Amino acid sequence: MAERVRVAVAGGIAEVRLNRPEKLNALDVPMFEALVSAGKQLAADRSVRCVVLSGAGRAFCAGLDLALFAAMAQPGAGGRARGLFARELGNPANFAQRAAYVWTAMPAPVIAAVHGVAFGAGLQIALAADLRIVAPDARLAVLEVRWGLIPDLTGSQALRRLVPLDVAKELTFTGREVSGEEAVRLGLATRVSEQPLEDALALAREIAARSPDAVRAAKKLLNSAGFLGLEEGLRLEEELQRSLIAKPNQIEAARANLERREARFTDPE
């Protein structure tokens, strides 16, 4: 069996590529497992300062493998699907959800480079990233309703944070496809690019050149915004700021800025 997900780390940037191009990177059980494994591996790697998610071949990800949908349609499918809902102690996400949630929970920022299609589960994985750079002719859809299902790879949570409620409902109720350009207008994507992977890597290099302590703290703070009350949010802001001030990487950032030179940061502790 071909390696479902390829991971390469260089210069603080991790490239994670879904690698099932003959199936438009559709998600089967080995792909779920490979995504979770890759996410865990990179979360533990302190040298990683940014992650770029992409798909090999003609698409980012076409969604759930048709064989899994066929299995769900058979009598007794509940038993076959049960493994997708298995839970891990201490993790809020079930087995299937972790394929997306692992990127939201990643300490370092994650950029999804989207081309071709990002349908259903594939779109939800892209939405789990911090930023999405999409080709103008990319096709994105919350496709689950066509199969009599709802988005269940954390997509419901991501949609509500990225777009207005009525937009989330329209996309979810209809399964309507949107182009990369419309995705940006709606808030599903960050920016359009004719070369999404190249621009995602360029952005990753820019992020990797900043203090990894500050970038990780900023991701944690912004991911918490809207989920905490005002007092808790302000307290977290102060706590994270205190954890940065006068630390080696913060001092190096200030000195490099004043001396107009490239900073030399150390990996987070």
Side-chain angles (χ1 to χ4, degrees), residues 11-28:
I13 298 168
E15 287 194 62
V16 178
R17 187 160 301 172
L18 282 67
N19 187 43
R20 203 182 177 208
E22 73 282 1
K23 296 291 186 180
L24 299 182
N25 300 313
L27 296 163
D28 58 1

Side-chain angles (χ1 to χ4, degrees), residues 45-50 106-109 207-222 236-237 239-253 263-269:
D45 187 344
R46 293 290 182 168
S47 73
V48 172
R49 299 186 182 180
C50 196
M106 178 73 57
I207 292 171
R210 304 298 182 184
S211 166
D213 294 333
V215 170
R216 286 175 175 231
K219 175 170 177 172
K220 181 176 181 179
L221 180 64
L222 292 173
L236 177 61
E237 184 178 273
E239 175 189 324
L240 291 172
Q241 191 75 304
R242 284 177 178 270
S243 74
L244 298 172
I245 292 173
K247 296 300 191 298
N249 277 341
Q250 191 272 316
I251 293 172
E252 171 62 10
R264 296 179 291 273
F265 297 115
T266 59
D267 295 338
E269 295 179 1

Side-chain angles (χ1 to χ4, degrees), residues 111-243:
I111 305 168
V114 179
H115 74 292
V117 300
F119 288 161
L123 175 58
Q124 292 181 77
I125 289 171
L127 295 182
D130 299 288
L131 305 167
R132 281 154 298 284
I133 298 180
V134 299
D137 59 351
R139 295 157 58 204
L140 296 78
V142 186
L143 210 60
E144 284 76 10
V145 72
R146 295 192 192 177
W147 299 92
L149 299 170
I150 59 171
D152 65 344
L153 261 67
T154 75
S156 61
Q157 305 302 301
L159 278 170
R160 279 298 288 122
R161 299 198 69 185
L162 292 170
V163 301
L165 179 58
D166 60 335
V167 173
K169 287 180 176 178
E170 187 235 340
L171 294 175
T172 304
F173 294 167
T174 65
R176 179 173 73 85
E177 292 182 20
V178 301
S179 68
E181 291 181 336
E182 185 179 1
V184 172
R185 291 197 299 271
L186 293 175
L188 286 175
T190 310
R191 72 168 80 147
V192 165
S193 168
E194 294 286 352
Q195 45 185 21
L197 180 56
E198 289 84 350
D199 284 356
L201 289 169
L203 179 56
R205 289 191 289 271
E206 183 178 348
I207 292 171
R210 304 298 182 184
S211 166
D213 294 333
V215 170
R216 286 175 175 231
K219 175 170 177 172
K220 181 176 181 179
L221 180 64
L222 292 173
N223 277 357
S224 299
F227 291 104
L228 301 176
L230 177 61
E231 185 175 349
E232 289 178 291
L234 295 179
R235 190 175 295 129
L236 177 61
E237 184 178 273
E238 177 185 340
E239 175 189 324
L240 291 172
Q241 191 75 304
R242 284 177 178 270
S243 74

